[in-house]
Amino acid sequence: MSETVILTRGLRKEFSGRRGTHVAVDDLDLAVPAGGVHGFLGPNGSGKTTTIRMLLGLAAPTSGSMALFGEPVPQRLPEVMDRVGAVVESPKFAPNFTGRQNLRLLAASVGRSTSDVDEALEKVGLGQRSDDRYRAYSLGMKQRLAIAATLLKKPRLLILDEPTNGLDPAGIREIRDLVKDLGASGVTVLLSSHILAEVQQVCDSVTIIGHGRLLASGRVQELVAATGAYRIVVERPEDATRALEEAGLTAAADGDALVVQTDRPGSEISRVLGEAGVWLDELTPLRADLESVFLDLTEGDRMGAMPSGEDYR
Ligand SMILES: Nc1ncnc2c1ncn2[C@@H]1O[C@H](COP(=O)(O)OP(=O)(O)O)[C@@H](O)[C@H]1O
Ligand SMILES: [Mg+2]
């Protein structure tokens, strides 16, 4: 049985403000298996950062339990922290030092060598730019340096809280490739995001939350199951409908197209139509993509999750 790297049971966080109690994380059961990239997906304000902060001992739960590598936390954080790397808040680097100098300072403080620094810089693709000053780095490079800093301790679990926030498309792609590589190299990555496309492209499994509550969890493939339907475009829809119905398939008009319900492969539709002398212009499998799964699940939560304007801090 594979190890569960992150486990929470009934995890809850309430914040009290002038307008009463606000539940940021609502009895959340989270289970992240070892290996690969796990998406932690939810709209803004749904409780991702609060959950991550509790896992790292940066915030105290109101109730519930948590474990990292099977060790109860926060009690045993000192024992597990050297296996955990995290980028939650923007880390502080010295602006006038180069990326390499910044990492060497850090490495010295955690007992790592300069070759560990070079390796980490190489891994995040900063090799070429590591002797430029930090203040000249783009946001994407700063984010990659932050990840390099966590790699110094060669973590088994890497927690990245919305690492692509504010990045341009090229920066997003770089982080995405890096996260994929890290997942493939055997590190378990928890990647939080409010952007579907990001998670869908990178993650093996995903947990979706809304309003601090668990909405769905599982392998991306399973959440994005094919629906057993095809959209086809043909020149003679009436002839096509008749031919399909004679073959035991149902076809319904959808604008200029037809939607065919079947559990059989698309080639079957093409064969039936071909035998009836009707030729296909288009045949597209209809899938419920993660976007629609996500939108369905979080409907109603997104509005409620808008910032209240009240500052509790
Ligand atoms: N320190 C805090 N004090 C009061 N409320 C907070 C605090 N931190 C977060 N919240 C509230 O908890 C909810 C979840 O926030 P957060 O965990 O940051 O969500 P996410 O990371 O998914 O955007 C939000 O409604 C937010 O306003
Ligand atoms: Mg957040």
Side-chain angles (χ1 to χ4, degrees):
M1 218 186 78
S2 85
E3 187 189 10
T4 302
V5 174
I6 301 177
L7 188 70
T8 74
R9 283 292 168 252
L11 184 63
R12 187 174 184 87
K13 178 68 176 178
E14 298 173 357
F15 289 108
S16 322
R18 273 173 284 129
R19 288 197 286 158
T21 300
H22 174 76
V23 181
V25 176
D26 193 352
D27 297 339
L28 183 65
D29 294 340
L30 180 65
V32 176
V37 184
H38 188 89
F40 189 30
L41 192 63
N44 284 328
S46 56
K48 303 180 296 295
T49 299
T50 304
T51 301
I52 289 171
R53 288 175 52 84
M54 289 191 283
L55 284 168
L56 297 170
L58 301 171
T62 304
S63 56
S65 63
M66 305 178 282
L68 294 176
F69 300 100
E71 301 283 351
V73 295
Q75 299 86 336
R76 293 186 56 82
L77 265 181
E79 284 78 10
V80 296
M81 257 340 249
D82 61 347
R83 277 174 272 170
V84 183
V87 181
V88 185
E89 276 103 26
S90 340
K92 301 274 174 287
F93 289 109
N96 288 324
F97 282 18
T98 67
R100 190 190 307 279
Q101 286 169 330
N102 270 295
L103 283 206
R104 283 193 175 174
L105 274 175
L106 267 177
S109 69
V110 296
R112 294 293 181 184
S113 66
T114 55
S115 67
D116 291 330
V117 169
D118 296 342
E119 195 184 308
L121 287 167
E122 212 51 56
K123 197 156 208 167
V124 301
L126 276 180
Q128 303 282 319
R129 305 291 304 274
S130 52
D131 294 317
D132 294 0
R133 284 174 198 254
Y134 179 74
R135 64 164 189 232
Y137 280 7
S138 68
L139 197 55
M141 291 165 69
K142 288 177 174 166
Q143 197 57 265
R144 283 185 282 145
L145 189 69
I147 295 173
T150 69
L151 294 181
L152 285 177
K153 57 178 178 181
K154 304 187 197 299
R156 304 303 310 143
L157 167 65
L158 190 56
I159 298 178
L160 302 176
D161 191 18
E162 306 234 22
T164 56
N165 261 4
L167 300 189
D168 61 13
I172 291 175
R173 196 169 331 111
E174 284 161 3
I175 298 285
R176 187 195 298 150
D177 292 345
L178 172 58
V179 167
K180 265 191 196 165
D181 287 352
L182 289 168
S185 75
V187 179
T188 305
V189 184
L190 182 72
L191 174 72
S192 90
S193 179
H194 67 282
I195 301 165
L196 247 302
E198 214 159 86
V199 164
Q200 189 159 6
Q201 288 178 47
V202 181
C203 297
D204 305 290
S205 54
V206 64
T207 293
I208 303 178
I209 65 168
H211 246 75
R213 247 171 277 139
L214 180 75
L215 295 176
S217 159
R219 303 196 60 77
V220 172
Q221 294 307 323
E222 285 158 16
L223 291 175
V224 189
T227 54
Y230 294 84
R231 184 179 178 279
I232 62 170
V233 177
V234 288
E235 215 160 77
R236 306 193 325 262
E238 297 80 16
D239 293 349
T241 305
R242 196 173 321 112
L244 289 165
E245 282 173 356
E246 277 167 15
L249 302 170
T250 49
D254 175 25
D256 291 341
L258 292 173
V259 171
V260 185
Q261 302 288 339
T262 175
D263 295 331
R264 291 182 249 166
S267 56
E268 182 72 8
I269 295 173
S270 146
R271 187 185 62 75
V272 167
L273 293 179
E275 282 174 7
V278 181
W279 304 105
L280 277 168
D281 290 326
E282 272 176 44
L283 177 110
T284 324
L286 294 179
R287 291 184 156 268
D289 63 359
L290 197 51
E291 183 89 40
S292 45
V293 173
F294 182 56
L295 290 176
D296 286 352
L297 285 171
T298 58
E299 200 171 351
D301 275 341
R302 283 186 307 282
M303 290 311 291
M306 296 295 277
S308 65
E310 180 175 2
D311 192 3
Y312 294 82
R313 270 151 278 200

